């Protein structure tokens, strides 16, 4: 039989992110190690926006670092976009990290570079088939900073710095954007920058978003909330009723 066109998927796509019994502990100077992420199993559908909530110290940042392969789990498996992330090393690990975007809690902008150069920084070692500066400008415009491309981070507000960090995280067209809650005195209006962008991210880029946040208002604007306590998943909430999140 001759096939004239590729088969059209009719069922729900594979989850973009799957965690199976993931565990991470940190050694303490004395006594038993601290279990920061404890037996977490979870799947997240492609294109969804997921809020990761829980009290301070509940393991939100550690879980994001594990998914982003910034830290290595002690046990369990993590798969992202069909790739087994746990156990990656060397070139494969570097290649994986380039496929995802990470917005750090403290943004980690380079203080001597302009906003534009900060956004381009992840691409500097690589040859690209597009104009890096043009793409960086486009992203800065998308986050509302078209007129601040030449500014140094020190001349930007906390919210504007977060927007630069978001633009930088998007420069590699990631399938997955991981964002840690901003610390300190970002007002809630600034804190929603990523949530404001999420519809255009999903619609234009298909990006899946996982964001740690303290803010119930921000969590409510995501598709789902995943709640952590003492490193364990305690509850899942779905505001839109879509399937795709499993607790195990
Ligand atoms: N590098 C580390 N070394 C030792 N303990 C850590 C480290 N990172 C996180 N922890 C501990 O792991 C637990 C979870 O931390 P974290 O993931 O930062 O929580 P959250 O982001 O929810 O505030 C906390 O008890 C924290 O002190
Ligand atoms: Mg944290």
């Amino acid at each position: 039989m001759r096939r004239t066109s590729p088969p059209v998927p009719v069922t729900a796509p594979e989850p973009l992110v799957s965690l199976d019994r993931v565990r991470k502990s940190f050694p303490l100077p004395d006594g038993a190690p601290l279990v920061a992420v404890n037996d977490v199993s979870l799947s997240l559908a492609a294109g969804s926006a997921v809020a990761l909530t829980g009290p301070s110290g509940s393991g939100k940042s550690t879980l994001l670092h594990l998914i982003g392969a910034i830290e290595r789990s002690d046990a369990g498996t993590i798969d992202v976009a069909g790739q087994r992330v746990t156990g990656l090393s060397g070139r494969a690990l570097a290649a994986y990290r380039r496929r995802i975007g990470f917005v750090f809690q403290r943004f980690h902008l380079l203080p001597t570079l302009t906003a534009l150069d900060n956004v381009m920084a992840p691409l500097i070692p690589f040859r690209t088939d597009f104009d890096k500066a043009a793409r960086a400008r486009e992203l800065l415009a998308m986050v509302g900073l078209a007129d601040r491309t030449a500014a140094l981070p020190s001349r930007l507000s906390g919210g504007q710095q977060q927007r630069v960090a978001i633009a930088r995280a998007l420069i590699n067209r990631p399938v997955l954007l991981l964002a840690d809650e901003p610390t300190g005195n970002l007002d809630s209006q600034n804190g929603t920058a990523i949530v404001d962008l999420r519809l255009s991210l999903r619609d234009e880029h298909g990006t899946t978003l996982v964001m740690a946040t303290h803010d119930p208002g921000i969590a409510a604007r995501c598709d789902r909330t995943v709640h952590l306590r003492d490193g364990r998943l305690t509850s899942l909430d779905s505001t839109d009723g879509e399937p795709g999140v499993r607790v195990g």
Side-chain angles (χ1 to χ4, degrees):
M1 195 178 89
R2 211 153 45 96
R3 184 176 271 156
T4 51
S5 59
V8 179
V10 288
T11 52
E14 286 289 295
L16 188 86
V17 180
S18 297
L19 278 67
D20 189 27
R21 287 164 292 169
V22 171
R23 171 183 276 261
K24 173 72 180 175
S25 52
F26 294 106
L28 289 182
D30 23 62
L34 184 139
V35 184
V37 170
N38 197 349
D39 225 23
V40 167
S41 298
L42 165 74
S43 353
L44 306 171
S48 59
V50 180
L52 193 54
T53 63
S56 182
S58 59
K60 301 182 297 297
S61 296
T62 305
L63 192 60
L64 289 177
H65 293 162
L66 292 173
I67 298 171
I70 293 164
E71 287 185 280
R72 206 178 269 281
S73 58
D74 302 328
T77 56
I78 299 173
D79 295 275
V80 175
Q83 183 175 23
R84 178 62 46 96
V85 174
T86 30
L88 285 180
S89 60
R91 278 168 179 271
L93 178 62
Y96 169 70
R97 287 194 185 137
R98 282 201 299 280
R99 293 179 66 202
I100 56 156
F102 208 106
V103 181
F104 292 94
Q105 202 156 20
R106 291 169 210 274
F107 315 141
H108 295 178
L109 298 179
L110 297 165
T112 58
L113 297 187
T114 64
L116 186 74
D117 287 341
N118 264 287
V119 174
M120 285 166 62
L123 290 178
I124 285 168
F126 303 104
R127 229 178 306 156
T128 55
D129 57 4
F130 55 90
D131 181 340
K132 295 173 192 176
R135 171 143 177 81
R137 273 180 216 287
E138 221 171 82
L139 287 166
L140 282 168
M142 183 175 121
V143 298
L145 291 175
D147 55 348
R148 303 310 308 273
T149 57
L152 292 174
S154 58
R155 305 305 300 264
L156 299 171
S157 72
Q160 289 173 330
Q161 290 178 32
Q162 188 202 22
R163 287 165 189 267
V164 174
I166 295 167
R168 179 182 59 185
L170 294 172
I171 193 89
N172 284 325
R173 302 178 198 271
V175 289
L176 176 63
L177 181 63
L178 302 169
D180 213 340
E181 60 195 328
T183 39
N185 49 13
L186 275 191
D187 58 39
S188 63
Q189 195 188 350
N190 286 328
T192 60
I194 296 174
V195 192
D196 290 342
L197 284 170
R198 78 169 209 73
L199 285 179
S200 63
L201 287 176
R202 179 167 65 183
D203 296 347
E204 291 166 31
H205 308 280
T207 308
T208 302
L209 170 65
V210 184
M211 177 176 42
T213 181
H214 269 115
D215 187 327
I218 293 176
R221 294 176 61 197
C222 292
D223 299 317
R224 303 188 180 84
T225 298
V226 174
H227 193 74
L228 280 173
R229 185 169 199 99
D230 296 332
R232 285 186 182 276
L233 283 191
T234 59
S235 69
L236 297 166
D237 179 35
S238 175
T239 53
D240 61 4
E242 279 176 37
V245 181
R246 170 179 61 83
V247 198

